[in-house]
Amino acid sequence: ISGRGRLGRPWVSEPGNMYASVLLLDPAPVVKLGTLPFVAALALYATLSELPGLKREALKLKWPNDLLVNSAKISGILLENAVLPNNTLAVVCGFGVNVAHHPDTTLYPATDLHSLGIRTTAAQLHLALANNFASLLHVWNSGQNFAAIRSEWLAHAANLGREITVNLPTERLTGKFIDMDSFGCL
């Protein structure tokens, strides 16, 4: 299965991995939409942290919405939006989790659940993710309660207090990851 990743990068996943998309209509005022990826990332964090045998301290969130296990990427999240003809804002949150396989040629080290000794299925993950995402969307409350999401996200952040590099469409920025503001910006 193939698709599109961040910055138009190709994305490929073998059968046995989990891929899911959810469509949200008018999920928040436009000024709050930038905080939605953190909700998605926390939902995925919660889902994987519930798996027996996966140590919670091995899971970390990499800004803005990657999930790492022992510093290796195990998932991807991509959010895209469009305004429909009736002026409704449509946001698609796409999730991918390396369950049975992981790519060998990536920008960052990658892993999968089966390689870590975790036996689960894409269907089991999908159900848990749907429940966790729904719960966290309720907490987020259309962006009105991002403070709670931000606090929980930072509690599981990778590289907090360390130097990081952020790859933007036209440049790379390097600096110390000190905090995240009320809009999710570093």
Side-chain angles (χ1 to χ4, degrees):
I1 293 178
S2 65
R4 184 178 65 246
R6 186 172 172 262
L7 302 175
R9 292 184 190 117
W11 173 82
V12 177
S13 186
E14 300 292 329
N17 288 345
M18 189 209 80
Y19 356 91
S21 295
V22 61
L23 172 65
L24 303 174
L25 299 175
D26 286 329
V30 173
V31 71
K32 302 283 187 176
L33 273 184
T35 63
L36 184 55
F38 300 96
V39 178
L42 267 182
L44 200 49
Y45 175 89
T47 300
L48 268 61
S49 71
E50 296 166 354
L51 293 172
L54 190 57
K55 294 180 180 172
R56 187 175 273 231
E57 59 272 9
L59 288 169
K60 295 290 180 189
L61 292 164
K62 180 177 163 277
W63 186 89
N65 58 7
D66 283 342
L67 187 57
L68 308 176
V69 178
N70 299 322
S71 300
K73 187 172 175 177
I74 196 158
S75 67
I77 299 171
L78 183 64
L79 283 77
E80 295 188 309
N81 63 66
V83 178
L84 302 178
N86 65 356
N87 287 325
T88 299
L89 178 64
V91 178
V92 175
C93 299
F95 297 87
V97 178
N98 298 335
V99 177
H101 312 277
H102 67 273
D104 293 323
T105 55
T106 58
L107 294 173
Y108 309 100
T111 191
D112 63 79
L113 292 172
H114 288 180
S115 294
L116 296 168
I118 308 299
R119 297 293 172 231
T120 191
T121 66
Q124 291 168 323
L125 280 182
H126 185 262
L127 180 60
L129 176 61
N131 290 330
N132 285 321
F133 194 45
S135 294
L136 285 164
L137 282 171
H138 181 74
V139 171
W140 180 62
N141 189 24
S142 298
Q144 299 306 307
N145 195 20
F146 179 61
I149 298 297
R150 177 187 168 278
S151 177
E152 185 68 15
W153 192 98
L154 285 169
H156 308 294
N159 301 314
L160 191 59
R162 296 186 183 143
E163 186 173 287
I164 63 168
T165 298
V166 177
N167 296 310
L168 301 173
T170 59
E171 64 182 318
R172 294 178 69 160
L173 299 175
T174 300
K176 190 172 183 181
F177 178 13
I178 298 171
D179 200 357
M180 186 168 66
D181 71 15
S182 62
F183 293 99
C185 298
L186 295 172

